[in-house]
Amino acid sequence: MKYIIIGDSNTYGFDPSDYLGRRYAKVWTDYLNIEGCTFENAGVNGQRVFDIVNFIPNAYDSVFIMLGTNDILQNFSVSTIIKEMKDFLSNVNGKAVIICPVIIEMKEFKEKCIALNDLYQKLGVPCIPSIKVDMAYDGIHFSQKGHEQFGIYINEEIKKLLHK
């Protein structure tokens, strides 16, 4: 089985302490270790749901998508994000799993992050709930430890999905 993981800088593995925009040596997708499965990390710094609405994963058995943080940080409404996610889901013919992005704990974003994650879980596709992980100093990006925590969690959640 071949899967693609579409996401933003937290999927890419952006290290906010590196001024050149490099990624951590090991990111959460590197912790995915499921027999018979390969996972392609297609994380792009700054990516929004709108950016992938027309993506069709023909070369993949399924797509995992973890987006919405940049949309919130750029002040798009939760209803706009959900509409764009529905547009994306309509193009992938049931071949998608949503991974809820982590909740940004900053006061001005937290409520929208929680609302988005709640609505993602009601879209009628498999959805992996968010967890709290160790964050980098900026409060937006995972730390190296956070990547490990998230990767181990997502690995177990994907195993559960595949064995249903």
Side-chain angles (χ1 to χ4, degrees), residues 5 13 17 26-27 33 36 40 90 98-99 101 103 110-111 119 133 144 151-152 163:
I5 302 170
S17 67
K26 190 168 185 179
V27 304
N33 185 17
E40 180 182 328
S90 71
I98 295 173
I99 300 172
I103 306 299
K110 185 174 183 175
E111 188 176 306
L119 289 172
V133 298
Q144 185 69 71
I152 290 168
H163 292 107

Side-chain angles (χ1 to χ4, degrees), residues 7 22 24 26 28 31 36 38 66 72 88 102 104-105 115 135 139 148 155:
R22 293 190 192 109
Y24 289 111
K26 190 168 185 179
W28 71 264
Y31 291 90
T38 59
M66 186 173 81
I72 288 171
F88 168 76
V102 298
I104 302 300
E105 295 291 332
M135 302 296 280
E148 180 180 8
N155 192 64

Side-chain angles (χ1 to χ4, degrees), residues 2-22:
K2 187 175 179 185
Y3 302 101
I4 186 168
I5 302 170
I6 298 174
D8 56 24
S9 54
N10 276 327
T11 299
Y12 170 78
F14 176 74
D15 178 354
S17 67
D18 185 308
Y19 297 108
L20 299 176
R22 293 190 192 109

Side-chain angles (χ1 to χ4, degrees), residues 73 103-111 113 138-140:
L73 295 174
I103 306 299
I104 302 300
E105 295 291 332
M106 290 177 237
K107 181 180 168 184
E108 62 270 29
F109 304 118
K110 185 174 183 175
E111 188 176 306
C113 288
D138 65 0
I140 295 169

Side-chain angles (χ1 to χ4, degrees), residues 34 42 49 52 55 58-59 75-76 100 103 123 132 134 164:
I34 301 170
V49 176
I52 56 90
F55 175 79
N58 291 332
N75 207 31
F76 286 90
C100 289
I103 306 299
L123 289 178
K132 189 172 184 128
D134 192 66
K164 280 188 174 181

Side-chain angles (χ1 to χ4, degrees), residues 78-79 82 86 98 100 113-124 127:
V78 172
S79 61
I82 292 297
K86 286 179 178 177
I98 295 173
C100 289
C113 288
I114 291 169
L116 180 64
N117 282 324
D118 288 345
L119 289 172
Y120 273 171
Q121 294 180 57
K122 296 174 182 169
L123 289 178
C127 186

